[in-house]
């Protein structure tokens, strides 16, 4: 029996439906036209389908022996992208499991699934698509339905979707680079043009069937490229109905896949990633992308953005363009950050206050007060010697310079990215994309309320009234607020953990070390508490992320945004707000709350009335903040790589191990792609989110860790190639999508940039010890406050540690645990008057000088950086002058071309009409007149 195509196999028998399957179509497929008349998508199309009874269920005429011996002989090439006739290109593949071959007792459920699938495929045929079914070579239960869109269908939906298509070749788009003068260098970084040839540029316009002659159609098979064909077919698949029940329309391939009726739906890769296709007509774009983009040997080369955009669509192309640009800009930030780090490292020996801490005659003689109420012992200041040396590296003058630089850098990055984005909009023809975007099918299906459009004064359908929309927004906002409170509760739990275990570490570490063990030298109670709390915080962050991702999607689905862009922007804001609190809350606590409200030993401040507030090291909490950043950034990078690389690789290896080795070499392209991992519709969203969270760490807390841009640079260089490798080798091909920009991520980055100025100014002022040291150096090291004849940092440790009388514990603690101690006094980190002073334990004049200096520093630093930021934003336009000129010029020439063609058609038509009229007049004059 010869291999039959799907449109023959899907001839429908007249069949009645049961009571649960909805309306049944009574028109056999043999009486339905293969090409339905052009219909509008969305709700209108669904209504038309319902009225013409094409939403009914049917059964296959024959479901046995779908794969015949002739199939293997006919499809000898495993990389074939065509139907068995070798003429019709496969634009999409649907995969399902044949219910008749399942070993299950759920016959009723299987029958319903089969009927829904058959109704859906019948409607696809009636909409003009052509189908062909093939059984798997490995698992005969799997059936692959190949979908082909004929020329008429492509033209119809290209007009409906306002897809821009070529009019004529364009010679205006000449791309230049600032590095063109360094040809030897650019050739080393650029992709070889003999391998990946530059794309020919065209004037484009939204496609119209009645003006088809205006378009540059040299070959119908190549006029619509594979990415555009897949977009059109997916548009149809997402809007075709398969059931009507109680006036509720069920439609779309996404619901069918989610409900298990289909196991997968995807466009095909064009070839194997490791070897080019044997088909000479295949462009081998996947192979070229792997060789010149995803392979490790191409790590130093620029990305082939045009080929990425052509193969995966503008949405993925703009992501990699942004990530590449962000990585390039990080190079400058990393160089400056390393320079500031090296400055602190090489000036460590000049750090006078650290020398005093480590000096046995100074720091060794200073006895610090216990940091808890019961069992914590007195301790010597010089046990913090190692941490004070490390602190000198990060808490230096270079930190201030770097914080100011990063405030300017982030503005330059955002402004120059806007210009680059405008260039890509022009080059990729997405300038007027927002006006072309269609409503989501989920939105269209819920449009049951009729309202009057304020602009057109015509009736239109909306999913809910204004009051209903307010209720939905309120419920969604309440759900988001609840989850943010849940995160805050987890942060409070971590704080309680820190307060509880600090006492344990304070007692046990000193018992273990006995003053001589290296543990005491390198692991202080503060450090042990910080590291363990950071690890626990990271684990909780990952767990909450996993849960909230599902919750955020549910909330956004309930909110029902109109377009896909609106949907993604809404989800983006919800997810980022959650991630912001989740990732940054612990850093904000350490930077701005820990050690700020502790009182003093005789009158400590208790948190929740039970736990004594944490204190910072004598040098401040900056080193602890640095530790927190390193653990979260490093742990996040490792976790993401496990999720994004290792997990799909293991899944694919496991899938390949289950295939039959003898048939593996002959496995067709659609079956090879099926065993790859699905990317998911929000796969790119998580890539953006990962990078934006990193962007926040690089900018918000960079004053505490100048090496953060360097770590981000190394991570991003690997991230680009890892993402490229993942897309080209481990995942199915995504449906190409249009995108004009990076969406809601742009305003999020702008908000982070503004907040970063405040956070870095406050970190320097309140978290680091720089301002108190400067105040001491310029005011209190010399008379009348100091004893040094010239400016000096000597004696700073003594003045920065206040004195406390251990006998005063009695008046503030019910039972003095330190009675009989050999120490009469101890020191603590604060600026207060000593015991015996008329204002004992009150803040001294040095404290108020420091507070005034901190506030002045914040105001001055913020105003300077904000002034520079706004000046840069004003002087650098979002769209360059040359790009504006090119856009206007292309628009003018396009309109002129269309107008000229229209005039030619009119002239031609007028000429034909005139010839006919003249001929009629001549015939009338030559006709003999009757007397």
């Amino acid at each position: 029996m010869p291999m039959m195509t799907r449109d023959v196999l899907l001839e429908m028998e007249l069949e009645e439906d049961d009571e649960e399957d909805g309306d049944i179509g009574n028109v056999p497929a043999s009486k339905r036209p293969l090409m339905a008349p052009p219909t509008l998508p969305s709700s209108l199309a669904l209504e038309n389908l319902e009225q013409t009874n094409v939403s009914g269920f049917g059964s296959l005429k024959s479901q046995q022996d779908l794969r015949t011996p002739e199939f293997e002989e006919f499809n000898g090439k495993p990389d074939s992208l065509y139907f068995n006739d070798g003429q019709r290109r496969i634009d999409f593949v649907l995969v399902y499991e044949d219910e008749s071959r399942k070993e299950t007792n759920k016959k009723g459920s299987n029958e319903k699934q089969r009927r829904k699938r058959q109704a859906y495929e019948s409607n696809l045929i009636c909409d003009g698509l052509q189908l062909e079914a093939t059984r798997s070579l490995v698992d005969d239960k799997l059936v692959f339905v190949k979908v082909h869109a004929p020329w008429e269908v492509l033209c119809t939906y290209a007009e409906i979707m306002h897809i821009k298509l070529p009019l004529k070749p364009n010679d205006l788009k000449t791309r230049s680079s600032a590095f063109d003068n360094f040809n030897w260098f650019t050739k080393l970084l650029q992709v070889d043009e003999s391998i990946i040839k530059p794309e020919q540029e065209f004037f484009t316009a939204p496609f119209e069937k009645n003006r088809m002659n205006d378009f540059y159609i040299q070959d119908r098979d190549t006029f619509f490229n594979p990415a555009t064909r897949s977009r059109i077919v997916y548009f149809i698949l997402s809007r075709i109905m398969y059931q009507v029940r109680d006036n509720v329309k069920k439609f779309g391939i996404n619901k069918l896949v989610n409900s298990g009726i289909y196991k997968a739906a995807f466009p095909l890769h064009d070839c194997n990633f490791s070897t080019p296709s044997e088909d000479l007509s295949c462009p081998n774009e996947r192979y070229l992308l792997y060789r010149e983009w995803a392979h490790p040997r191409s790590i130093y080369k620029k990305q082939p953005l045009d080929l990425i955009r052509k193969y995966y669509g503008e949405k993925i192309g703009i992501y990699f363009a942004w990530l590449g640009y962000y990585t390039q800009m990080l190079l400058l930030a990393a160089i400056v950050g390393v320079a500031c780090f090296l400055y602190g490292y090489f000036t460590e020996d000049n750090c006078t206050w650290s020398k005093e801490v480590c000096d046995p005659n100074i720091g060794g003689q200073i006895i610090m007060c216990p940091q808890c109420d019961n069992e914590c012992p007195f301790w010597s200041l010089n046990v913090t010697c190692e941490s004070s040396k490390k602190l000198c590296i990060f808490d230096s003058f270079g930190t201030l310079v770097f914080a100011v630089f990063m405030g300017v850098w982030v503005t330059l990055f955002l402004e120059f990215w806007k210009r680059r984005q405008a260039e890509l909009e022009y080059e990729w023809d997405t300038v007027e994309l927002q006006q072309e975007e269609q409503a989501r099918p989920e939105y269209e299906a819920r449009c049951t309320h009729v309202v009057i459009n304020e602009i057109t004064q015509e009736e239109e359908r909306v999913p809910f009234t204004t009051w209903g929309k307010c209720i939905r927004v309120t419920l969604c906002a309440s759900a988001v607020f609840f989850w943010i409170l849940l995160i805050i509760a987890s942060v409070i739990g971590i704080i309680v953990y820190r307060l509880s275990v600090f006492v344990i570490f304070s007692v046990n570490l000193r018992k273990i070390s006995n003053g001589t063990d290296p543990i005491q030298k390198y692991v202080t109670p503060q450090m042990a508490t910080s590291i363990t709390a950071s690890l626990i915080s990271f684990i909780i962050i990952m767990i909450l992320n996993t849960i909230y991702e599902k919750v955020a999607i549910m909330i956004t689905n309930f909110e029902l945004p109109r377009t896909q862009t609106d949907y993604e922007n809404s989800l983006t804001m919800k997810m980022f707000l959650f991630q912001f609190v989740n990732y940054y809350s612990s850093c904000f606590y350490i930077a701005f709350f820990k050690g700020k409200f502790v009182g003093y030993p005789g009158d400590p401040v208790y948190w929740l009335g039970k736990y004594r507030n944490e204190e910072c090291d004598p040098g401040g909490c900056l080193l602890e903040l640095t530790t927190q950043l390193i653990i979260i950034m490093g742990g996040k990078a490792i976790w993401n790589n496990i999720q994004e690389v290792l997990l799909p690789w293991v899944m694919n290896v496991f899938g390949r191990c289950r295939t039959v080795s003898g048939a593996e070499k002959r496995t067709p392209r659609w079956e090879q792609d099926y065993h790859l991992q699905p990317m998911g519709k929000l796969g790119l969203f998580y890539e953006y989110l990962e990078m934006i969270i990193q962007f926040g760490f690089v900018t918000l807390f960079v004053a505490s860790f100048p090496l953060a841009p360097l770590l981000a640079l190394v991570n991003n260089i690997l991230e680009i190639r890892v993402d490229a490798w993942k897309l080209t080798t481990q995942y199915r091909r995504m449906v190409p999508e249009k995108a004009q920009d990076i969406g809601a991520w742009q305003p999020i980055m702008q908000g982070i940039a503004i907040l970063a100025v405040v956070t870095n100014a406050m970190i320097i002022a309140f978290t680091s010890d720089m301002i108190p040291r400067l105040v001491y150096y310029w005011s209190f090291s010399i008379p009348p406050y100091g004893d040094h004849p010239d400016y000096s940092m000597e004696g700073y440790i003594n003045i920065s540690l206040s004195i406390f009388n251990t006998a005063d514990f009695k008046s503030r603690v019910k039972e003095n645990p330190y009675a009989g101690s050999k120490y009469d006094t101890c020191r603590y980190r604060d600026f207060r008057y000593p015991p015996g002073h008329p204002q004992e334990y009150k803040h001294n004049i040095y404290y108020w000088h420091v507070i005034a200096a901190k506030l002045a520093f914040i105001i001055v630093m913020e105003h300077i950086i904000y002034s520079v930021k706004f000046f840069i934003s004003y002087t650098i336009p979002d769209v360059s002058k040359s790009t504006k000129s090119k856009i206007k010029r292309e628009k003018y020439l396009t309109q002129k071309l269309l107008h000229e063609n229209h005039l030619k058609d009119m002239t031609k038509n007028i000429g034909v009409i005139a010839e006919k009229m003249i001929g009629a007049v001549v015939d009338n004059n030559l006709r003999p007149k009757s007397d």
Side-chain angles (χ1 to χ4, degrees), residues 485-498 537 540 544 581-582 585-586 589 607:
L485 291 179
L486 186 62
I487 301 170
I488 295 175
S490 69
V491 174
I492 292 175
I494 294 295
I495 295 174
V496 171
Y497 166 82
R498 299 171 69 103
S537 176
I540 292 176
L544 290 177
V581 179
N582 199 14
S585 55
S586 59
Y589 165 74
W607 202 72

Side-chain angles (χ1 to χ4, degrees), residues 339-586:
C340 294
F341 173 80
L342 293 177
Y343 170 82
Y345 179 78
F346 288 115
T347 58
E348 178 185 354
D349 295 336
N350 299 328
C351 190
T352 306
W353 64 272
S354 178
K355 292 181 179 179
E356 292 183 348
V357 170
C358 297
D359 191 343
N361 297 322
I362 301 177
Q365 300 299 321
I366 296 178
I367 304 301
M368 303 297 294
C369 296
Q371 293 181 321
C372 59
D373 290 336
N374 297 319
E375 299 181 0
C376 293
F378 294 91
W379 52 286
S380 176
L381 179 62
N382 64 353
V383 300
T384 63
C385 175
E386 294 299 322
S387 62
S388 67
K389 290 180 180 179
K390 297 173 185 175
L391 190 60
C392 286
I393 300 175
F394 297 103
D395 193 3
S396 64
F397 180 74
T399 302
L400 173 60
V401 174
F402 189 57
V404 174
F405 167 79
M406 288 300 293
V408 178
W409 173 87
V410 69
T411 305
L412 291 173
F413 162 62
L414 293 176
E415 294 303 318
F416 282 121
W417 164 246
K418 290 179 185 177
R419 291 168 66 91
R420 175 58 179 153
Q421 188 170 253
E423 293 175 0
L424 291 174
E425 288 178 20
Y426 167 71
E427 294 170 3
W428 292 352
D429 225 359
T430 59
V431 175
E432 299 177 354
L433 179 64
Q434 294 295 337
Q435 291 80 7
E436 305 169 9
E437 192 168 12
Q438 302 286 334
R440 297 166 61 239
E442 294 85 356
Y443 179 90
E444 293 173 337
R446 300 292 295 274
C447 291
T448 56
H449 299 276
V450 179
V451 297
I452 303 299
N453 189 296
E454 296 179 357
I455 299 174
T456 63
Q457 294 299 312
E458 296 179 356
E459 290 186 353
E460 66 177 10
R461 292 179 178 271
V462 295
F464 31 72
T465 62
T466 304
W467 178 245
K469 185 175 182 179
C470 292
I471 293 176
R472 285 174 178 263
V473 171
T474 303
L475 292 175
C476 293
S478 301
V480 173
F481 182 68
F482 167 77
W483 277 89
I484 291 177
L485 291 179
L486 186 62
I487 301 170
I488 295 175
S490 69
V491 174
I492 292 175
I494 294 295
I495 295 174
V496 171
Y497 166 82
R498 299 171 69 103
L499 298 175
S500 302
V501 302
F502 176 77
V503 178
I504 299 173
F505 283 128
S506 297
V507 175
N508 293 333
L509 283 178
R510 289 184 174 89
K511 287 181 179 179
I512 294 173
S513 63
N514 292 323
T516 59
D517 197 278
I519 293 178
Q520 182 178 358
K521 182 178 181 181
Y522 295 102
V523 182
T524 63
Q526 291 89 345
M527 181 180 296
T529 302
S530 176
I531 292 175
T532 56
S534 298
L535 292 173
I536 295 175
S537 176
F538 173 74
I539 294 172
I540 292 176
I541 285 172
M542 293 296 105
I543 294 173
L544 290 177
N545 276 349
T546 304
I547 300 173
Y548 183 74
E549 285 175 4
K550 297 179 176 60
V551 174
I553 294 173
M554 292 174 58
I555 295 173
T556 308
N557 290 338
F558 177 76
E559 189 179 336
L560 201 63
R562 179 179 178 274
T563 66
Q564 185 63 25
T565 299
D566 295 337
Y567 180 89
E568 292 179 0
N569 289 346
S570 178
L571 181 62
T572 296
M573 296 305 297
K574 293 180 181 65
M575 284 295 295
F576 177 75
L577 185 62
F578 174 85
Q579 300 277 16
F580 184 90
V581 179
N582 199 14
Y583 276 105
Y584 303 142
S585 55
S586 59

Side-chain angles (χ1 to χ4, degrees), residues 584-644:
Y584 303 142
S585 55
S586 59
C587 295
F588 273 99
Y589 165 74
I590 295 173
F592 307 124
F593 295 98
K594 182 182 177 182
K596 305 300 184 295
F597 312 100
V598 296
Y600 60 96
D603 187 20
V605 175
Y606 290 89
W607 202 72
L608 299 178
K610 181 179 180 181
Y611 300 100
R612 180 171 168 176
N613 275 359
E614 285 186 281
E615 298 182 29
C616 296
D617 278 334
C621 288
L622 190 68
L623 189 61
E624 186 174 346
L625 178 60
T626 303
T627 304
Q628 180 84 359
L629 287 174
I630 293 174
I631 290 177
I632 294 182
M633 286 186 68
K636 183 173 175 294
I638 295 172
W639 176 258
N640 287 334
N641 285 328
I642 292 174
Q643 275 191 316
E644 297 178 6

